[in-house]
Amino acid sequence: MEINTFLDKLQSYHSEQVFNPWRDFDTSCDIGPQAPVIRSANLRRYLELRPDAHYLFIAEALGYQGGHFSGIAITSERILLGHHPDVEPKSVLGEWDYRRTSDESSAMLNNTQRLKGFNEPTDTVVWNALNSHGLASFDVILWNIFPFHPYKAGNLLTNRTPSPSELDAGIEYARMLLELRPGMKIVAIGQKAATTLSRYGVECMSVPHPSMGGANRFRAAVAQLLGGEA
């Protein structure tokens, strides 16, 4: 499978209470119809830079503070815009035309989000752990079992747990990604992701989820997995 074919299949997905960042744009939060074009270009570049990735880290679903606006799983817009104190944009997309897709004039954004874009604490922990191993960030692809953003009715800037039918759909995209980049070792982020992957017959290792006080345990598990120091 080619990257453009994979992107085409992602862009074809549509469902109620689900935001597809590579297809959809929202007039209340996005800069306009160019937003999904930018996010699609980001994902294409991200995959192009990782032709020989050894690890596929998979969480459960895209979040509104992360991939919703960046187009890249477990990666916040603030990282891409260069406003993150620890993570350099080059760790994600190398030399690239970094552009925001959230509308800085939107009333739905707070002051910090208007200035710097959205930020997701979990994304920070994950990228810091990967970057502590030097080139490891280009040896890893980040993904979600359900690669789109499920949100609560009436509020786009929320997250909800994907339904069983959404996970049924999402796992097929994970399999496509494994076809695109075969041979990767799969690492589930959190027990929920590990249990879900196991239910679909996908063999994986697992690391603790960084949220809810699990950041240190996540870093230690990644260090052991990648053969570095915690």
Side-chain angles (χ1 to χ4, degrees), residues 19-216:
F19 185 84
N20 182 336
W22 311 289
R23 169 193 175 119
D24 303 334
F25 76 94
D26 181 81
T27 56
S28 64
C29 298
D30 274 337
I31 57 173
Q34 68 270 41
V37 177
I38 294 169
R39 293 188 285 257
S40 295
N42 286 346
L43 179 59
R44 181 183 293 108
R45 171 70 171 176
Y46 179 79
L47 294 173
E48 287 173 347
L49 287 178
R50 293 158 175 83
D52 302 309
H54 288 90
Y55 297 98
L56 177 63
F57 278 66
I58 302 186
E60 188 174 51
L62 211 64
Y64 80 89
Q65 296 183 101
H68 176 116
F69 289 107
S70 71
I72 301 169
I74 320 177
T75 305
S76 70
E77 183 179 46
R78 195 169 300 177
I79 290 174
L80 297 189
L81 295 175
H83 297 312
H84 196 282
D86 302 321
V87 186
E88 291 288 332
K90 290 181 180 180
S91 298
V92 189
L93 299 179
E95 296 290 342
W96 186 240
D97 178 19
Y98 291 93
R99 300 165 61 193
R100 73 180 293 161
T101 67
S102 65
D103 181 1
E104 60 186 341
S105 66
S106 171
M108 296 181 69
L109 278 61
N110 63 37
N111 288 336
T112 304
Q113 290 163 348
R114 291 190 187 103
L115 288 171
K116 299 182 178 181
F118 281 81
N119 186 55
E120 167 56 60
T122 293
D123 300 357
T124 296
V125 176
V126 171
W127 275 99
N128 277 339
L130 296 179
N131 283 339
S132 69
H133 299 277
L135 297 177
S137 65
F138 289 98
D139 200 35
V140 171
I141 290 176
L142 303 174
W143 198 245
N144 293 286
I145 300 170
F146 187 63
F148 313 102
H149 169 217
Y151 59 90
K152 297 175 183 177
N155 192 346
L156 186 65
L157 300 184
T158 59
N159 297 323
R160 67 170 174 83
T161 300
S163 68
S165 63
E166 288 168 344
L167 292 172
D168 286 342
I171 199 71
E172 294 307 314
Y173 294 98
R175 289 176 175 142
M176 291 178 202
L177 182 55
L178 286 167
E179 182 181 342
L180 180 69
R181 295 287 183 263
M184 291 187 294
K185 298 178 181 178
I186 302 172
V187 182
I189 299 178
Q191 190 56 49
K192 184 180 285 187
T195 301
T196 303
L197 288 170
S198 178
R199 188 165 68 246
Y200 286 100
V202 179
E203 292 186 9
C204 65
M205 301 172 283
S206 66
V207 293
H209 198 283
S211 66
M212 304 297 289
N216 288 336

Side-chain angles (χ1 to χ4, degrees), residues 10-25:
L10 287 168
Q11 291 164 341
S12 70
Y13 182 87
H14 175 72
S15 185
E16 294 297 318
Q17 287 179 235
V18 174
F19 185 84
N20 182 336
W22 311 289
R23 169 193 175 119
D24 303 334
F25 76 94

